[in-house]
């Protein structure tokens, strides 16, 4: 049974950092593409980042490039999203997702992927 559990969200001041974790069960993260999307109140869902299987190619939406880094730890079967220099506009609930495939395709499709976690809330405010 595929299961994704996010953690690591919280309240942080602008310019601060958080690391989100996505612990996977029922499959091995090395063999499937894993992505993150976010949803802010009153806004559309936004694909944030993705890491493909095997080669581990990474992709980011323009607004987070240079600030966010996606990675995975095979031993822990976990995918991370390191978020630095956070801005108020990064405030949202963040979800990790997988679709059972190897490739990321377009980030805008991440919110449609079949399996997602319960989400973790990130709030950036002074």
């Amino acid at each position: 049974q595929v299961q994704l559990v996010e953690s690591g969200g919280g309240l942080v001041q602008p310019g601060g950092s958080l690391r989100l974790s996505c612990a996977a069960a029922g499959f091995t993260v090395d063999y499937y593409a894993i992505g993150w999307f976010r949803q802010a109140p009153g806004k559309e869902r936004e694909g944030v980042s993705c890491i493909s299987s095997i080669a581990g190619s990474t992709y980011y939406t323009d607004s987070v490039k240079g600030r966010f880094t996606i990675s995975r730890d095979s031993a822990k079967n976990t995918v991370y999203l390191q978020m630095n220099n956070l801005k108020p506009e990064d405030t949202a609930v963040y979800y990790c997702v997988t679709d059972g495939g190897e490739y990321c395709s377009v980030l805008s499709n991440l919110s449609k992927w079949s399996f997602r976690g319960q989400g973790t809330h990130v709030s950036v405010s002074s």
Side-chain angles (χ1 to χ4, degrees):
Q1 180 179 357
V2 173
Q3 188 174 14
L4 299 167
V5 179
E6 302 97 333
S7 62
L11 173 63
V12 64
Q13 292 185 340
S17 298
L18 284 174
R19 188 178 77 161
L20 305 184
S21 299
C22 174
F27 71 101
T28 302
V29 297
D30 286 354
Y31 299 130
Y32 299 96
I34 308 291
W36 291 90
F37 77 90
R38 63 188 179 186
Q39 184 160 27
K43 294 186 178 180
E44 296 288 322
R45 294 170 178 176
E46 179 184 25
V48 175
S49 182
C50 187
I51 183 167
S52 68
S53 69
I54 309 301
S57 299
T58 58
Y59 306 88
Y60 303 92
T61 192
D62 286 346
S63 63
V64 309
K65 284 180 180 176
R67 300 189 297 122
F68 290 12
T69 303
I70 191 170
S71 64
R72 64 185 175 213
D73 184 329
S74 301
K76 295 183 178 180
N77 210 34
T78 298
V79 171
Y80 301 100
L81 186 68
Q82 176 67 44
M83 307 187 297
N84 298 329
N85 191 21
L86 282 160
K87 303 176 179 180
E89 51 263 42
D90 295 318
T91 296
V93 178
Y94 284 72
Y95 299 88
C96 71
V97 292
T98 187
D99 203 27
E102 298 178 8
Y103 304 104
C104 290
S105 72
V106 294
L107 294 179
S108 59
N109 285 338
L110 289 179
S111 62
K112 302 174 185 176
W113 283 14
S114 302
F115 304 100
R116 72 170 68 165
Q118 82 288 351
T120 187
H121 192 268
V122 172
S123 182
V124 185
S125 175
S126 55

